[in-house]
Amino acid sequence: MPVAEVLTALIGVLVVLMGLNGLLRPQAAAGFGIPGTPTEDRTFQAWLAVKAARDIGLGLIILILAAGAAPHLLGWSLLAAAGIPVGDMLIVLRGNGPRVTAFGVHGATAAVMAAISVLLLLG
């Protein structure tokens, strides 16, 4: 399996683990860079469960594609999925969250996903 496909599968596994963390330990996963997040609020915890389910579903889709899709389909799919951390980055910035978190976590994740996508599309 080429390196780009292995890296894509690793991303899928990590996204599933992030989702499981959000379901099992919502306070630890809360906020993802937004200051003043009401981690004890039950309504907010319900929204975290929605995010966790999204993460698990996305991670499984990535893993399925990594297991059987042609590299170009995998590349386009991963590039489309990179829009999610871009959106998360914009949410953190709009919520006056730390720029280090916005760019260093969410932006960096999107950049890595985009770079792997390019490797898959060109390979």
Side-chain angles (χ1 to χ4, degrees), residues 59-83:
L60 291 174
I61 290 169
I62 291 170
L63 287 170
I64 290 166
L65 288 168
H72 72 278
L73 177 60
L74 182 57
W76 284 117
S77 299
L78 191 62
L79 187 59

Side-chain angles (χ1 to χ4, degrees), residues 44-97:
F44 181 74
Q45 289 179 12
W47 282 110
L48 280 177
V50 171
K51 180 191 176 308
R54 175 197 79 169
D55 289 345
I56 292 168
L58 175 63
L60 291 174
I61 290 169
I62 291 170
L63 287 170
I64 290 166
L65 288 168
H72 72 278
L73 177 60
L74 182 57
W76 284 117
S77 299
L78 191 62
L79 187 59
I84 293 172
V86 168
D88 292 345
M89 177 185 71
L90 295 174
I91 290 167
V92 171
L93 291 172
R94 188 171 138 211
N96 295 318

Side-chain angles (χ1 to χ4, degrees), residues 4-123:
E5 292 177 26
V6 171
L7 292 173
T8 302
L10 180 61
I11 288 171
V13 169
L14 292 173
V15 173
V16 168
L17 291 175
M18 282 185 339
L20 290 172
N21 186 49
L23 282 177
L24 300 174
R25 300 177 347 139
Q27 281 80 12
F32 64 98
I34 300 172
T37 301
T39 58
E40 300 303 319
D41 183 295
R42 291 185 54 79
T43 301
F44 181 74
Q45 289 179 12
W47 282 110
L48 280 177
V50 171
K51 180 191 176 308
R54 175 197 79 169
D55 289 345
I56 292 168
L58 175 63
L60 291 174
I61 290 169
I62 291 170
L63 287 170
I64 290 166
L65 288 168
H72 72 278
L73 177 60
L74 182 57
W76 284 117
S77 299
L78 191 62
L79 187 59
I84 293 172
V86 168
D88 292 345
M89 177 185 71
L90 295 174
I91 290 167
V92 171
L93 291 172
R94 188 171 138 211
N96 295 318
R99 296 172 68 82
V100 169
T101 301
F103 295 113
V105 175
H106 304 296
T109 299
V112 167
M113 291 172 76
I116 295 170
S117 297
V118 169
L119 292 175
L120 288 163
L121 292 168
L122 296 178

